[in-house]
């Protein structure tokens, strides 16, 4: 009698799997992984068809604590990933400087 909804669902034609994206407008919390894991597990049991690979879960949040993410993901069977996103693009000068550093380091 409860309903839950993942924010975005894509089907990756090359990987042949569902990609479930959960968006958070807050910093990472360990309960977010439990929520995403629930969605990925449901898709694995109810939406996969013959020839599909295991679904992938992607959690996007505004900030993440690497250690907390590492422990929250430990020993999970599903393919879950956490990363942060920016609400606005960096300044043009910051992008230029970043690209120059990357080119110099290669």
């Amino acid at each position: 009698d409860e309903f839950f909804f993942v924010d975005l669902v894509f089907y990756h034609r090359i990987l042949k799997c569902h990609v479930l994206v959960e968006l958070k407008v807050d910093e990472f919390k360990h309960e977010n992984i439990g929520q995403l894991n629930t969605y990925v597990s449901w898709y694995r049991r109810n939406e996969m068809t013959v020839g599909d690979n295991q679904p992938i879960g992607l959690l996007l949040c505004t900030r993440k604590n690497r250690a907390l993410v590492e422990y929250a993901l430990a020993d999970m069977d599903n393919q879950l990933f956490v990363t942060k996103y920016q609400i606005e693009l960096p300044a043009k000068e910051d992008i230029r400087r970043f690209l120059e550093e990357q080119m110099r380091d290669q």
Side-chain angles (χ1 to χ4, degrees):
D1 296 332
E2 294 182 74
F3 299 93
F4 303 96
F5 302 94
V6 65
D7 292 323
L8 299 168
V9 178
F10 299 98
Y11 188 82
H12 197 292
R13 292 183 336 171
I14 296 171
L15 296 178
K16 296 187 186 314
C17 70
H18 286 94
V19 179
L20 303 136
V21 181
E22 187 65 18
L23 305 168
K24 299 296 179 189
V25 292
D26 201 358
E27 64 185 298
F28 172 81
K29 295 180 180 132
H30 65 279
E31 56 264 25
N32 302 145
I33 286 297
Q35 179 183 13
L36 182 59
N37 190 52
T38 300
Y39 296 149
V40 169
S41 295
W42 188 90
Y43 265 79
R44 188 179 64 239
R45 289 186 186 165
N46 298 287
E47 294 294 327
M48 283 182 62
T49 59
V50 175
D52 281 350
N53 290 312
Q54 298 288 321
I56 295 171
L58 179 59
L59 174 63
L60 299 176
C61 46
T62 55
R63 290 189 315 272
K64 69 175 186 175
N65 175 321
R66 285 191 188 276
L68 182 57
V69 169
E70 181 180 333
Y71 284 108
L73 289 173
D75 301 324
M76 291 201 126
D77 292 336
N78 288 327
Q79 294 186 75
L80 305 176
F81 304 93
V82 177
T83 192
K84 64 179 187 171
Y85 66 91
Q86 294 178 292
I87 297 176
E88 55 187 51
L89 290 174
K92 185 177 179 179
E93 181 61 29
D94 293 337
I95 294 172
R96 185 186 61 73
R97 188 173 28 254
F98 173 79
L99 292 172
E100 287 175 353
E101 288 171 6
Q102 294 301 308
M103 292 171 60
R104 197 173 33 244
D105 292 342
Q106 289 185 357

